[in-house]
Amino acid sequence: LPKPSPNSRSTSNRARSKADGVLTRERIVAAAIQEIDERGLAAFSIRNLAGRLGVYPTAVYWHIANRNLILAEVVGQVLGGASPSANLDWRDYLRQLLGRYRSAIKAHPNVAPLVGAHLIGNASIPFAFVERLLAKLSEAGFTGEDLVDAYNTVVAALAGFITQEFAPVPEEGGDAWRAGIQERLLSVDAKACPTLAANLPLLANRAFILRWRSGAEAPLDASFERYAETVVAGLERFAEQVRAPAIRR
Amino acid sequence: LPKPSPNSRSTSNRARSKADGVLTRERIVAAAIQEIDERGLAAFSIRNLAGRLGVYPTAVYWHIANRNLILAEVVGQVLGGASPSANLDWRDYLRQLLGRYRSAIKAHPNVAPLVGAHLIGNASIPFAFVERLLAKLSEAGFTGEDLVDAYNTVVAALAGFITQEFAPVPEEGGDAWRAGIQERLLSVDAKACPTLAANLPLLANRAFILRWRSGAEAPLDASFERYAETVVAGLERFAEQVRAPAIRR
DNA sequence: ACCTGAACACCGTTCAAGT
DNA sequence: ACCTGAACACCGTTCAAGT
């Protein structure tokens, strides 16, 4: 065997698995998830991926067309099993769906920026997921345009919290960087920002924009629960209006 | 004058503006917004940016530390004036805030992936924005932990819809790509996906996951309105609970 | 069919040098 | 103080060549 690849890390020269040493689309995606988990999305490259797989970078292109497609498969894989079972009240279904989406990303926080930020490329449409959500919203009473709006609201809500909660810290995010944010936060002008100043201990590192740790290190469990309940309650109100269309606010 | 830069586009050799030909942080950020508007986020590079400014790429680094900081300034600039005036009922304040955020991104849709996907780097904390939102939520009756949760819910909601609505189409997104999505969508199995099949004309290109155009081309105005009302209604419900803590669901 | 290997046209960033 | 210019260590992807 020649050297595995010019880009393979010299410290860990794992040979390509010999049992069935074939490169497949599945093995490529699995390795991509590992690579992103361990080294982050910013450092993910075809060349590093090939190094991990013990092949030349260009070998990957025989199995999958480009980098974006790999990332689309990665998010598909990570979120794959997140659709809850169908025999639930629609409210509980939404609660479970939101929670399971979050759990899936919590297990692979570095893929969070991929959720919702891009129209997934040529990856296949997740028909089962879409159908079940639509069916549940139909059970709630939504039809026609209302069904479209309710569906879009739920999908938007699925991404809203977790993409921010698990958003990666900037690469320069050392202790100095964290200390800088904390310092600026503590130096808030209590005259100009009385509400912020009064609640600073509660908000620091626990509120979006005002934190210096990602959800991977400091999860926002309580806020997420409230977020999910808010979405469900809002849709409940929407469903009531839909079912009693005579009463307009 | 020597040639402006090895990377300047030869077709449009705009000289560096001569009136006051100094390179400043502000001019760099402004040029970055133009560059992203015209060519997209994927094509944005320091080298192209320098070409537009008529300087060598490395000149940029004297004014701003790195690429991520430029992007942080870009999103700060784009969302800068989005905070509504303070003399509004908290519900109307939230409606306006959501709408103005969306309008800001609609004017610069290519920056959408930057909203929420990353913890903004060393860019300064938008104290005025945070304070006003917190003050409005205090008016609604939220205090302590509830205030934190309500705040996080609103900030999550701010990003949820628009990052998806304006998510960029994949780079390979030619007519063939669009036709492929439509074909797969139309070939849906009506047995396995009855709800989807029954509502296909309503959902096609108007529902997340099931569309082939970004919100920049095909905005989802009606769904966004419903989304905003859902968030406000959910928070109203939350506020009622907070004000009458004896009554638990 | 599947992978190697060279090559192309790019990147962000550092650092010494100019003025 | 502010910019040039060379250089370093990377990228994704194409394409011919091997087996």
Side-chain angles (χ1 to χ4, degrees), chain B residues 15 100 139 164 179 212 223 225 227 246:
Chain B
R100 294 176 65 130
E139 283 179 35
Q164 288 192 72
W212 51 88
S223 282
E225 288 306 316
Y227 171 79

Side-chain angles (χ1 to χ4, degrees), chain B residues 1 4 7 18 30 45 52 85 94 110 121 127 134 140 157 179 198:
Chain B
L1 267 307
N7 287 81
K18 38 212 65 157
S45 74
R52 170 183 290 272
S85 76
L94 291 182
N110 290 343
F127 282 116
L134 287 171

Side-chain angles (χ1 to χ4, degrees), chain A residues 57-77:
Chain A
T58 49
V60 172
Y61 286 86
W62 200 90
H63 297 275
I64 192 161
N66 57 52
R67 190 190 123 108
N68 282 340
L69 258 177
I70 297 174
L71 295 179
E73 295 272 11
V74 163
V75 48
Q77 187 88 11

Side-chain angles (χ1 to χ4, degrees), chain B residues 6 12 22 25 36 85 113 141 146 163 185 191 196-197 199 213 219 225 241:
Chain B
S12 74
V22 284
R25 200 176 165 105
I36 292 169
S85 76
D146 294 327
T163 55
L185 200 50
K191 289 250 163 55
L196 173 55
N199 293 279
R213 300 223 182 253
E225 288 306 316
Q241 285 176 241

Side-chain angles (χ1 to χ4, degrees), chain A residues 232-248:
Chain A
V232 172
L235 282 168
E236 228 165 356
R237 180 100 167 75
F238 184 9
E240 285 163 18
Q241 286 175 240
V242 163
R243 271 177 267 157
I247 304 158
R248 285 268 149 77

Side-chain angles (χ1 to χ4, degrees), chain B residues 16 22-23 47 55-56 58-59 62-63:
Chain B
R16 64 215 278 186
V22 284
L23 201 57
R47 295 168 116 106
V55 298
Y56 278 74
T58 49
W62 200 91
H63 297 276

